[in-house]
Amino acid sequence: MTVVQKYGGSSVAGIDQLSAVAQRVAATRRTTDRVVVVVSAMGDTTDELTALAHQLDDDPPSREMDMLLSTGETVTAPLLAMALHARGVDAVSLTGMQAGIRTSGAHRSARITDIVPERVIEQLAAGRVVIVAGFQGATDQLDITTLGRGGSDTTAVALAVALRAHECEIFTDVEGIHSADPRVVSEARPMAEIGYDEMLELASAGATVMHPRAVEIGEAYSMPIRVRSAFVDSPGTLIHRQQDMEDRPKVRGIAHETDVAKVTLLGVPDRPGIAAAVFGPLGQAHINIDIVVQNVSHSGHTDLSFTLAESELARAQSVLERVVGEVGADGYDADRDIAKVTVVGSGILGAPGVFARICEALADQSINIRMISTGEMRVTCIIDRARIEDAVRALHRAFELELL
Ligand code: ASP
Ligand code: MG
């Protein structure tokens, strides 16, 4: 049997945590013949390295950022191998490149194009636990790349697929996927299981426990993913292909996100090609647009609003200055004091009353909905940032998620 385990930054933050991980890995090795461990950088290392870079250069070259950021995970892997060695467990550490993780050349958000895991397989066959530095890979030209923040999850699931592992375990600092962020809703419960598609919606809507790309890979290759605590012994949440979609409650969880800003382009001429003229340049600048609302036009002009990550607003603004002139708009407004809350569940769009219940729960708290967007299995509301925690709690209560 082959198992891939991934340990996140907080689970390997210091020597004590690394020893605890080594103990868990050693225990797994006693019952499992092939164990691969993917590690993140220790604690906040990635943030610290990023801050260091920005002290020298406001806009550091992406290639150099990848060389720098990849060192975080490159440190953890040999330390864990040593902790295992000290326990008498034979282990070997590999960088992403050594593990055969080949990626596109899109530095800082590279995609895995292929995994050539010969080296991993060889070491497993020699009876060693293989520790792989997460989050990193290399291009065909052997340039080091990283997979985007949170990318170690992606490394782990992709390796599990390449090695035909029987399960991919993601060890983290919470007891699984909760019905809402447990720091906001004290009654939030870890779910025993969830489908890939629902998990993907939660992850994309702000549930940071799992990287959305890792869930996508899991779904594409039907790789079961178990999210569980590195500190508490509990089964955690199994993310897999669920069969019983019809019988389950419609709403599964509430996700929220505060890194949101809203931009409104004012007095935009209402004619074909304008949206392309606005969103094309933003896309070229790699700025992700989330919810778009175009108002009814009056005398050939309209307001066009959209949301994006607040952390990308400064970059978007330099593009918008230009776009406003090009499309002949009157100007634009940017609003940072907003947040988004998303209710997720398979089939909720077709479920009678769900939408009304969301609106009522927010209305009862006098929370104003500023924008709404729906998908097949989600309803997203943009509201004032100051009320986001109240909104999450109200929705959690309205759908009785504490009883699941
Ligand atoms: N160390 C990287 C990050 O903090 C990757 C990861 O931990 O998944 O984003
Ligand atoms: Mg993570």
Side-chain angles (χ1 to χ4, degrees), residues 192-382:
E193 56 172 356
I194 186 169
Y196 293 111
D197 39 11
E198 289 169 322
M199 185 62 229
L200 200 53
E201 290 288 2
L202 284 174
S204 309
T208 52
V209 186
M210 270 300 288
H211 200 247
R213 274 169 57 195
V215 183
E216 271 169 13
I217 297 174
E219 173 162 40
Y221 296 93
S222 298
M223 172 58 60
I225 304 169
R226 189 177 290 280
V227 178
R228 56 194 306 192
S229 166
F231 309 114
V232 183
D233 232 334
S234 73
T237 304
L238 183 64
I239 307 170
H240 66 152
R241 207 169 293 288
Q242 284 196 311
Q243 311 294 345
D244 52 346
M245 285 210 167
E246 288 283 305
D247 312 328
R248 290 180 307 105
K250 296 290 182 197
V251 170
R252 299 302 310 284
I254 318 286
H256 72 284
E257 169 76 82
T258 52
D259 179 20
V260 186
K262 175 168 149 246
V263 168
T264 303
L265 281 167
L266 304 161
V268 184
D270 193 10
R271 57 163 198 267
I274 291 291
V278 172
F279 296 119
L282 289 167
Q284 275 153 25
H286 298 288
I287 293 162
N288 273 322
I289 303 304
D290 193 13
I291 300 171
V292 179
V293 174
Q294 180 175 329
N295 295 326
V296 180
S297 78
H298 294 288
S299 55
H301 288 75
T302 181
D303 292 346
L304 181 64
S305 297
F306 58 88
T307 63
L308 72 172
E310 187 193 346
S311 49
E312 300 202 325
L313 184 59
R315 259 180 348 108
Q317 278 176 311
S318 61
V319 177
L320 287 167
E321 305 288 351
R322 189 160 46 84
V323 165
V324 163
E326 281 168 13
V327 303
D330 294 339
Y332 74 89
D333 275 346
D335 185 351
R336 296 165 184 272
D337 297 321
I338 59 166
K340 103 183 166 178
V341 60
T342 302
V343 176
V344 173
S346 62
I348 77 173
L349 205 56
V354 169
F355 193 66
R357 204 132 132 217
I358 292 171
C359 298
E360 278 159 22
L362 295 177
D364 282 350
Q365 302 289 316
S366 313
I367 295 170
N368 189 26
I369 303 174
R370 316 233 322 227
M371 282 167 119
I372 296 185
S373 138
T374 58
E376 207 181 314
M377 49 181 85
R378 62 163 182 89
V379 175
T380 301
C381 300
I382 298 290

Side-chain angles (χ1 to χ4, degrees), residues 122-164:
E122 189 184 290
Q123 293 296 325
L124 289 172
R128 300 193 179 98
V129 171
V130 178
I131 323 272
V132 178
F135 176 55
Q136 51 170 272
T139 64
D140 290 343
Q141 286 75 45
L142 305 187
D143 272 320
I144 304 293
T145 51
T146 63
L147 308 178
R149 294 307 303 267
S152 295
D153 293 343
T154 304
T155 305
V157 178
L159 260 178
V161 170
L163 297 169
R164 299 179 205 287

Side-chain angles (χ1 to χ4, degrees), residues 52-118:
L52 212 52
H54 284 120
Q55 282 180 41
L56 292 164
D57 189 348
D58 295 337
D59 184 21
S62 300
R63 181 191 178 279
E64 303 311 324
M65 277 307 276
D66 276 355
M67 282 296 276
L68 179 68
L69 295 186
S70 67
T71 63
E73 316 353 69
T74 305
V75 166
T76 319
L79 286 176
L80 182 58
M82 290 172 199
L84 284 163
H85 177 257
R87 280 183 167 66
V89 180
D90 206 3
V92 61
S93 63
L94 298 175
T95 64
M97 180 161 69
Q98 288 174 317
I101 304 200
R102 304 225 171 123
T103 74
S104 69
H107 286 289
R108 304 197 69 174
S109 56
R111 299 209 148 238
I112 297 178
T113 50
D114 193 16
I115 299 188
V116 189
E118 268 60 43

Side-chain angles (χ1 to χ4, degrees), residues 9-23 42-43 75-76 78-80 82-83 87:
S10 53
S11 315
V12 293
I15 294 302
D16 293 345
Q17 289 93 329
L18 272 171
S19 301
V21 168
Q23 205 170 335
M42 295 169 73
V75 166
T76 319
L79 286 176
L80 182 58
M82 290 172 199
R87 280 183 167 66

